């Protein structure tokens, strides 16, 4: 029996972004009671995000605001290829007007998003996060620079998403976590697993976990591109890391207590079970062993975690079946 799960990284800006998954079906009806959208909305689309996503869904939704005013509308067109779309005043004004929702900022640092301008865009992003007193989430995988170069810019509390990516410039050097990555963690930089369509490598995760490197936040990075596979849902992301050697209780902590605290939702009672608390409960059972894919088509066999009862504010939620089941 677990507290209602907290998803630290997802994309649920349905109807506006091409990557937006439906929040209630993808999350609440699979045991997740609170979720952070990671940069799908920017300042110019935030009003729609608030109305169509935050206010239209029963689960608690917060976000990391994309530093580009455009947000992530369509994966094919990098939102920062025109660097002028990073308008610090707009991002700051949105965060200031919506402190109940905006809990940080997001920059995707992939080359196809930032082009040649990674350094100036990253500096501006850190600076605006500093001004707002909020963390910056940084998406790696396909950065132009090795990770240690990028880590130098981050502050304690900033978050590196996709820590088990199999793309170039990841956290490993051979079988070991790079010293610069361990040093960044030591000074308070956080790491988010953010599975996603293309950023979980079983081989990287296996080696990193064997080297003692667990993510600070275990998230699914659900989107319209992956919620029918290879990601499926947050519980499946947990099952995968457990199968790769991470202790179950540590994984659960990183999908409940840890993201609730990071997102400032612990003060609203999320991420824990307590007498007189929110009555958000997810009961989970281990089901059959299934073959689960990573982002590159490698597979592992793992006992799957399935929600059997989900309570949201004391009311029973109608669970939807696991989306990886073969269709009848
Ligand atoms: Zn993401």
């Amino acid at each position: 029996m677990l507290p209602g799960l907290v998803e630290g990284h997802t994309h649920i800006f349905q109807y506006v972004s091409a990557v937006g998954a439906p929040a209630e079906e993808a999350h609440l009806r699979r045991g997740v009671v609170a979720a952070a959208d990671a940069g799908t909305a920017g300042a110019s689309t935030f009003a729609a995000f608030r109305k169509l996503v935050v206010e239209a869904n029963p689960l608690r939704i917060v976000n990391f605001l994309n530093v580009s005013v455009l947000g992530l509308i369509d994966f094919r067109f990098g939102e920062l290829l025109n660097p002028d779309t990073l308008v610090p005043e707009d991002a700051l004004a949105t965060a200031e007007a919506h402190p109940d929702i905006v809990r940080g900022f997001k920059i995707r640092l992939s080359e196809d998003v930032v082009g040649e301008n990674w350094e100036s865009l990253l500096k501006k992003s850190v600076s605006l996060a500093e001004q707002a007193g909020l963390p910056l989430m940084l998406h790696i995988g396909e950065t132009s620079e090795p990770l240690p170069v990028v880590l130098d810019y981050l502050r304690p509390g900033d978050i590196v998403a996709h820590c088990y990516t199999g793309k170039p410039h990841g956290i490993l050097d051979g079988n070991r976590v790079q010293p610069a990555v361990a040093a960044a963690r030591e000074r308070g930089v956080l790491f988010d697993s953010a599975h996603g369509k293309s950023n979980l490598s079983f081989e990287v995760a296996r080696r990193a976990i064997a080297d003692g490197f667990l993510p600070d936040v275990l998230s699914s990075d659900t989107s319209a591109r992956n919620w029918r596979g290879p990601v499926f849902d947050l519980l499946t992301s947990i099952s995968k890391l457990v199968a790769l050697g991470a202790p179950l209780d540590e994984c659960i902590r990183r999908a409940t207590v840890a993201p609730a605290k990071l997102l400032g939702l612990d003060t609203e009672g999320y991420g824990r079970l307590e007498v007189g608390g929110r009555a958000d409960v997810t009961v989970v059972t281990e089901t059959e062993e299934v073959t689960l894919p990573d982002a590159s088509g490698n597979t592992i066999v793992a006992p799957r975690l399935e929600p059997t009862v989900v309570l949201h504010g004391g009311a029973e939620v109608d669970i939807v079946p696991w989306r990886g089941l073969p269709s009848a």
Side-chain angles (χ1 to χ4, degrees):
M1 187 180 298
L2 312 175
L5 300 172
V6 180
E7 170 69 72
H9 182 149
T10 185
H11 297 277
I12 45 178
F13 198 178
Q14 196 189 11
Y15 308 124
V16 171
S17 168
V19 305
E24 186 172 359
E25 193 178 350
H27 292 305
L28 182 60
R29 295 181 70 187
R30 298 293 298 163
V32 172
V33 299
D37 184 280
T40 325
S44 299
T45 57
F46 185 84
F49 179 74
R50 174 157 199 138
K51 188 179 169 78
L52 298 175
V53 180
V54 177
E55 292 172 4
N57 282 288
L59 64 158
R60 177 73 168 100
I61 293 170
V62 294
N63 88 331
F64 290 86
L65 185 73
N66 199 308
V67 294
S68 163
V69 295
L70 305 178
L72 203 183
I73 292 284
D74 189 316
F75 258 102
R76 294 171 296 177
F77 309 103
E79 63 267 23
L80 287 166
L81 287 177
N82 175 350
D84 294 341
T85 67
L86 195 165
V87 185
E89 310 83 73
D90 287 19
L92 286 167
T94 303
E96 199 176 327
H98 303 276
D100 54 331
I101 300 173
V102 180
R103 297 297 159 94
F105 299 95
K106 168 92 180 273
I107 180 169
R108 298 197 303 134
L109 214 64
S110 310
E111 255 185 308
D112 68 329
V113 178
V114 293
E116 303 277 284
N117 300 307
W118 73 270
E119 190 176 24
S120 63
L121 290 167
L122 179 55
K123 281 183 178 167
K124 280 183 189 164
S125 301
V126 171
S127 158
L128 84 87
E130 179 74 28
Q131 281 182 67
L134 291 170
L136 177 68
M137 178 187 277
L138 175 92
H139 156 128
I140 64 162
E142 297 158 321
T143 52
S144 61
E145 307 300 313
L147 189 51
V149 174
V150 171
L151 288 173
D152 276 347
Y153 291 89
L154 299 185
R155 309 160 301 157
D158 288 337
I159 306 149
V160 175
H162 312 304
C163 66
Y164 296 149
T165 184
K167 292 176 178 170
H169 302 323
I171 64 170
L172 293 182
D173 180 10
N175 284 327
R176 303 297 305 271
V177 170
Q178 298 188 50
V181 171
R185 165 165 276 182
E186 191 65 32
R187 65 185 177 83
V189 173
L190 303 172
F191 293 84
D192 165 25
S193 58
H195 181 330
K197 180 171 159 52
S198 51
N199 280 300
L200 172 66
S201 156
F202 285 158
E203 203 40 53
V204 170
R206 194 191 314 273
R207 291 182 201 178
I209 291 167
D211 199 26
F213 192 94
L214 297 180
D216 296 286
V217 171
L218 195 169
S219 70
S220 70
D221 192 14
T222 288
S223 77
R225 307 199 310 160
N226 65 40
W227 72 303
R228 298 182 189 282
V231 167
F232 301 113
D233 52 33
L234 181 55
L235 278 170
T236 309
S237 295
I238 294 173
S239 301
K240 289 176 180 179
L241 295 197
V242 171
L244 293 165
L248 177 62
D249 58 341
E250 293 297 330
C251 289
I252 297 297
R253 189 186 313 282
R254 287 156 169 80
T256 51
V257 186
K261 182 155 183 263
L262 174 70
L263 299 167
L265 295 173
D266 54 335
T267 56
E268 299 174 26
Y270 287 97
R272 61 181 184 271
L273 283 175
E274 61 189 345
V275 175
R278 296 190 44 84
D280 291 335
V281 182
T282 297
V283 182
V284 169
T285 188
E286 259 188 22
T287 65
E288 76 285 0
E289 294 212 319
V290 289
T291 300
L292 297 172
D294 69 1
S296 345
N298 301 309
T299 58
I300 42 165
V301 175
R304 193 167 64 74
L305 295 170
E306 175 67 18
T308 54
V309 178
V310 176
L311 297 182
H312 181 231
E316 193 159 355
V317 171
D318 197 8
I319 296 167
V320 287
W322 189 54
R323 287 177 285 271
L325 292 171
S327 46

